[in-house]
Structure formats: structure tokens, C-alpha cells
Amino acid sequence: MSLDLVWHYAPSLLSGFAVTILCWAAGSALGLVLGFAIALLRRLHIPPLNGLIRAFIELFRGTPFLVQLFLIYAGGPSIGLKLSATAAGILGLGLYASAYFAEIFRAGFAAVPVGQIEAAASVGMTPSDTMIRVMLPGALIAAVPAIVNMLIILTKETVVLSIITVPELMYQVQTMAAETLTAFDAIFAMAIFYWILVEAVSRLGSRVETRVTAFLAHEARA
Amino acid sequence: MIELAKVSKSFGAHQVLRAVDLSVGHSEVVCLIGPSGSGKSTLLRCVNFLEPYDSGDLHIDGRLIGYEDGPNGGRRLMAPRALREMRREIGMVFQHFNLWPHMTALSNVAEPLRRVRKLQAREAADRAMAMLTRVGLAAKADAYPSRLSGGQQQRVAIARALAMQPRLMLFDEPTSALDPELVGEVLEVMKSLAAEGMTMLVVTHEMGFAAHVAGRIAFIDEGRIIDDGPPRRVFHESPEPRVRQFLQTYHDRNSF
């Protein structure tokens, strides 16, 4: 392999990396917000709404991300949704992620021990105070490991965006490989970039996890 | 203060409470004892309506809890706000403490004062600190529940209930989840409460506590109160074979 070649393509690789990070961060943020909203709406137990939510989750978990992305980018204009490749990519990633995050938050709420909710009821706390002060912290703490896991998966799902010509890292690497006919160098460079991103996310994740669970360390004893 | 008249409750086909009559007077301490599965915890949980009873009347200070008069003579579930108001006056202590793990001991006690009693942060913290001092845990105010022993956690839970200045206290097997050597510190707090005249309804397996602190013992079996009287009489002269058998088993198990 030649370092010269990688060096030559460094600017486009770096800009691709920047676009990858942007799409990952924006898509994840959208997915977290939407997923959380879905999980909250679901707790209202309104039958037609719950049916809709279940259908949404089935749709986005049950079909390949690639297909969803095509439908949004290529099929979007026919329903008046004309988006740039990057915007479509972020929207697609966000919707896809939201289906998973909604389930993660639902499991988080289910993990809050019923006794803690009963304690709130026994002192006469309102349902909204109980939600904000008791259930939310417990649910979020329980959900942290699964959230970090999903964020890591999403870093790697961004490669799919290259298919709809989002100029992210995979796209730049493919261009480099095609122009130089050296697949190995390009892919090696790509692997390093993704490894950096995943490593950063997982380190940050375990830090957050350690912090939020610090005071639960001996809970098993109770 | 607490009046139960023909209170019944079923879980599906299984009838847990069968027309229970029981009354607890002001400043009285009544212990509910009986075999597991007899319905004593369910009965206690009906008193603050954490467990809805199906029929009968349950009055707290003359007010029916859980239900209100509906149209055409029937009754319907009480408005949630009215139920919350009643629950504020009824302290409850649970077998598994049920502290909020993401809050310090002080915050656990102060939280209901802020959210429910609407006290300012400072005032709530001061009152919470006074309550922790009372249960002997002022030094642990900043500790999270996971750093406290079971006995300490239960004392925090008692402080949390007491801080609301309830008119009566319910205890649901408050020492059953504790190591034997931690039981004493919790019972001491309960004894001092009783001495101060708190009205208490206590589900317990601590026969010593029941014998020395309770004014009355109600023995419940298969959803019925089959004996109800002063500890001395229930423990030593009960006419009910089931009560004598239960106490004999208890006695045999605890002698060595």
C-alpha cells in the first residue's frame, strides 16, 4: 500500500469523515427525539394511536434500511418531499433509528420497579410529577447501555448513505478506489476512520454509563 | 379513624378478602398477623387504595376512600385528585422500602414535600433533615440508597412518610426484607412513633413487637379476620384452633 496515495486523497477522505459524523449525529439526535416521543405517546394507551405506532415500528424494523432510504430519496418527490441527498440521508437514518429507540425507551420504562411508582402514589404525587421525577430518571438510566449500543450500530449504518450519493466517507472511499484502482488502500483508510468514530462513541458511552449507574452499584443488595 | 365494613376483594376467581370488618381508633396500634397468602398485605394496601377493594366500605376519618357517589345511586371510582388528597394524610412504609434510587436520602424525604406539599426547596430540606435526624440518619443525608444498609433504607422510608405529617401510618411487613440484626433499629423507630401516639396499622411477622407495642392484634386467615383482641388474649387464650396452631409453629421455629 502507498501512503502517498492516501495522503493525496486525505482532503476528500477527511471531508467524507466530516459528513459521516454530521449524518450520524443529526440522524441519531432525530432518532432519539422521535423515539422518545413515540415511547411517551405509547404510554397514553390510546388504541388507534398505539396501532399506528406499532405499524410504524414494524415498518422500520422489518425492512432493510437501504430500501427505506431509496423510498425516501427516490420516492419522496412524488409526495412533495424533495430533499437533498444529505437531508434525505439524515431523515432516513433518524426514522430508522427512532423505531429502535422507541423500543429501547419502552423497555426502560418497563424496567422502573413498580414499588417506586407505588411509593410516589402513596404520598399523593401527581402522575406527571411521578413521570418526571421518578419514572424518567429510572427509565433513562436503564436505557443507557442499549442507547450506546444503538449509537454504535448507527455509526456503521451511515455507509448505506453512499448509495444515494451522500458525500460521506464510504462514498469518498469508493471514488478513491475507482480512480486509483487500489481497493486495499482506500478500504484500509476507511476502516481506520470508522474505528476512530466507534471507539470515541463507545468510550463516551461507557463513561456516561459509569456515571449514571454509580449510585446504583449495590442495588442488588436491597 | 380507620373503619372497614364488609370489605371484599378478589383477584379473578380468587377471593382474597371476605367481608372484613376492622376498626382502628385514634392513636391505636393494630398489628395484622397471619399466614402468608392470608390477605393481610392486600388488606393494608386497600386502606390507601393502592389496591382497590371490590365491595364494602372503607372510611378514613369518616370519609370513604376510593369511591364516590355516582349517578342513579351507584358508586364510581373517586376522582384521582380527591384520592391523592386522601393519600397525603396516610403514610405508607413498604416491605422493600421503595426508595427512589437516583435521589439521596435527603432528597427522598424532601421530594414529596416539594411536589405534594409545595414547600420551597430550603424549607423542604430543613424539614427532611429534621425527619432524618429523628430516625437517627442525619449523617447519611447525602448518601444514595444503594450506599445504605437495609435497616437504614427503611428508616429513610419511614422518614419520607413521616415528613408528610400523616394522620396515620401503614406498615407492610417493614422488617421482612432485613437481615435479622438490622430489624431492631427499624422496630425502635416504630416503637417511638407508637409512644408518641401515632395511629398505626402494621402487617408483621415480628410477634415480639406485636406483643409489646400493639394495642390489638387482628389475626387474618383466608381473607377473614378470625380473631381480634388485646395481644395477651390473642397470643395466649385464643379460642381459634388456627390461631393457636400458627403461634405454635412460630414458637417451635423460633426456639433453640
Side-chain angles (χ1 to χ4, degrees), chain B residues 223-236:
Chain B
R224 286 194 189 85
I225 289 181
I226 58 173
D227 201 2
D228 180 350
R232 177 163 287 282
R233 205 201 43 66
V234 175
F235 281 138
H236 301 289

Side-chain angles (χ1 to χ4, degrees), chain A residues 106-152:
Chain A
R106 188 177 64 88
F109 280 121
V112 177
V114 70
Q116 290 178 29
I117 299 159
E118 285 187 343
S122 77
V123 293
M125 242 192 244
T126 61
S128 60
D129 279 339
T130 306
M131 169 51 91
I132 294 166
R133 305 293 302 174
V134 175
M135 295 196 68
L136 262 186
L140 289 177
I141 289 166
V144 164
I147 290 173
V148 171
N149 204 30
M150 189 63 205
L151 289 174
I152 290 172

